[in-house]
Amino acid sequence: MKKIYVDSSHIKYIGYHKNESILEIGYLDNSIYHYFKIPNEVYLDLIESDDIEKARREILIIPDTYEYEKIW
């Protein structure tokens, strides 16, 4: 998995397992979450966003569409 480190007050990096459609977000508090069945387009929308935190809320959190798990 390739990790892209981002400039954010909460998020450290975003990674994506394309074959498994798993998005991984590492936070500055060292917690790590996996989001499942994430289309590649959603991953691209996140990493191309000007405001990564707002995009994360609007795409992953608010619609409550994707299952996720805290892994660390």
Side-chain angles (χ1 to χ4, degrees):
M1 171 185 53
K2 180 180 177 182
K3 296 177 182 176
I4 296 176
Y5 290 85
V6 297
D7 183 22
S8 165
S9 60
H10 298 295
I11 298 171
K12 184 187 298 185
Y13 70 85
I14 297 175
Y16 187 63
H17 295 277
K18 189 172 184 175
N19 292 340
E20 299 176 25
S21 299
I22 296 174
L23 178 76
E24 180 174 295
I25 299 182
Y27 292 89
L28 293 175
D29 68 359
N30 292 322
S31 62
I32 300 171
Y33 283 79
H34 278 180
Y35 295 84
F36 303 100
K37 299 180 183 174
I38 304 296
N40 190 58
E41 297 79 28
V42 169
Y43 165 69
L44 294 175
D45 286 347
L46 276 173
I47 63 169
E48 293 173 355
S49 173
D50 290 334
D51 186 341
I52 196 83
E53 308 233 2
K54 181 179 178 186
R56 179 190 64 88
R57 284 189 304 274
E58 291 177 354
I59 295 171
L60 297 175
I61 306 302
I62 294 173
D64 197 28
T65 303
Y66 304 106
E67 291 182 37
Y68 65 92
E69 176 181 25
K70 183 177 182 179
I71 63 164
W72 181 256

